[in-house]
Amino acid sequence: MTDKTHLFEYLLRLGDNALVLGQRLGEWVAHGPELEEEMAMANFALDYIGQARLFLSYAGEVEGQRRDEDQLAFLRDSIDFKNVLLVEQPNGDFGQTIARQFLYESFYQFQLEGLSRSTDTRIAEIAERVSKEIRYHLRHTRKWVLRLGDGTDESHKRIQNSFDELWRFSGELFVADETDNWAVEHGIGPNPETLSSRWNQFVGAALTEATLIQPDDGWMDGGGRYGRHSEHLGYLLADMQFLQRAYPAASW
Amino acid sequence: MYTQGLDQKPDTEKQVDGTEQLVRFQARIDADEKIEPKDWMPDGYRKTLIRQISQHAHSEIVGMLPEGNWITRAPTLRRKAILLAKVQDEAGHGLYLYSATETLGVSRDQLTEQLLTGKAKYSSIFNYPTLSWADIGAIGWLVDGAAIMNQIPLCRCSYGPYARAMVRVCKEESFHQRQGFEIMLELSRGSDAQRRMAQDALNRWWWPSLMMFGPSDVDSKHSAQSMAWKIKRFSNDELRQKFVDVTVPQAEFLGLTMPDTDLDWNESRGHYDFGEIDWQEFYEVLKGNGPCNRERLAARQSAHDDGAWVRTAAVAYAQKQKRRCQAA
Ligand SMILES: [Fe+2]
Ligand SMILES: [Fe+2]
């Protein structure tokens, strides 16, 4: 693969993670447990959609096939989506969304830290800006992990269960493949394998404080980055892409 | 805006009885002074405000539902971002308005309860469905547009906290209105299918938008007292006419046809004449018989029920933390 195809691939992964997560969070709007949380969800969704636009429009430029952010978002099928499986998992109850966000954002913060030192100045600038957003999200999300974990028996049971369920999707975050190795070699981004001990520490500390048990690393699912997704992604894309598919080439 | 049901129930109508306090209160209002939460106010004034502001707050919240429908299906990432920001603004409006209501001595829990039990009303406009993307345009253009007409005078409302909340809300509503119009513009300049979508949305939203201003002045019982208290500054019909006058040229600009064969410029009045509103429909929707009344309340109810364990957990956690702090 050439540098160009590697970079394109790398940006798609970043963009798709943000896009799919933004789409999931958007589903919460008007259905949250309280008004303040609905606002927070909308705000976080908005941040992720903004990030997706930055990464995907850059990806389109790198590819050089005149595909813009919308063509990449709305006109690829799931086989070409490069997000990790964790972000496409359904919202479930509020606790499950919090668990998913927490696991992912704990990883994303460290990934962004590495990306902000990227030799690719555009990536570095985006990462710099996004880091601030994710720091804010994480403060909020971590607080909810504590509240639910150390709240009532019911909330404790529910969120423990969510962490147990989602844990199998955490492994994929830290597997370095050819594209990651290319990124490391060129100083584009961090080696995901090196992020896992900090992630474990960060997540472990929060779970302990929340009186929750850190699940064992058993069998780990994966494949999202290669276009092998869970069944959930198809429905998400069907919803998201409907208008662009139904009215090809229309302008909105 | 969002308070059209108010004009029906005359139970807060209390005549000024001439006591000294009332006379002083009215004098302050007449002098355009702001009434603040700690000031003395007549019971009827307080009740009217609670009802009006909370109804307005509920409308902001329920209004998130029809628009929220389209967040996951917005046609471009830019449109999705704009819609998310808009819906987030509406939640913010709900929050300021609940806070303004709380200054009058009602708690947010009570207000939520009133909404869910159907005791409190919200604007009927949100009981209509959003069937296509064009509806998101039509809501911004017409519904936020009508809201602005109603709310700009409220920025000078005699009750300080409400007036101040309205100043902030109005700025955001005018942004929403422009975004909605922009969606309609894009559609009306688009393909035949898109124009059809836009026209259909206008056909469905036009009359309900006119109903947002409330019953006609002849049937509106509350106006006189609310006007004297400077809670209301223009009559329903005056505001409705203003809205029609502003909106008809916009529809022409879009190349869309208003669904009203009686609509015509009246040179001598200097206003547009328009057809008779179907008041039967208005009262039916108000009574709960609109296309989505049940769905809207059910959605709020299930959000409330599904979130109960979360709210309980947050309270339990806060109590534990407090005990830990005291113990330490
Ligand atoms: Fe609003
Ligand atoms: Fe609005």
Side-chain angles (χ1 to χ4, degrees), chain A residues 23 29-30 33 35-36 38-39 43 46 70 144 147 150-151 155 158 239-240 243-244 247 251-252, chain B residues 61 64 72-73 75-77 79-81 87-88 91 95 108 186 194 197 300 309-311 313 320 324:
Chain A
Q23 184 73 4
V29 172
L35 206 42
E36 284 80 355
E38 287 181 15
M39 277 185 80
N43 188 16
L46 190 55
D70 288 326
W144 272 111
R147 284 190 192 113
D150 193 18
S155 69
R158 281 188 187 234
D239 233 17
M240 183 174 82
L243 280 169
Q244 291 271 0
Y247 302 93
S251 149
W252 304 92
Chain B
I61 301 310
M64 292 165 72
T72 58
R73 292 179 290 171
T76 67
L77 295 182
R79 293 283 176 214
K80 193 189 288 291
V87 177
Q88 192 188 353
L95 278 176
R108 201 160 117 198
E186 195 74 43
Q194 285 176 303
M197 209 186 268
R300 285 319 303 172
W309 70 276
V310 175
R311 295 190 300 274
K320 282 184 195 177
R324 281 171 197 145

Side-chain angles (χ1 to χ4, degrees), chain B residues 2 60 67 86 89-90 93 144 147 169 172-173 176-177:
Chain B
Y2 296 164
E60 300 282 357
E67 290 190 282
K86 182 190 181 203
D89 286 347
E90 307 301 5
H93 299 171
D144 288 83
V169 167
E172 292 177 347
E173 299 297 9
H176 300 166
Q177 198 268 348

Side-chain angles (χ1 to χ4, degrees), chain B residues 49 65 235 240 254 300:
Chain B
L49 276 171
L65 286 162
S235 78
R240 188 165 15 240
L254 292 172
R300 285 319 303 172

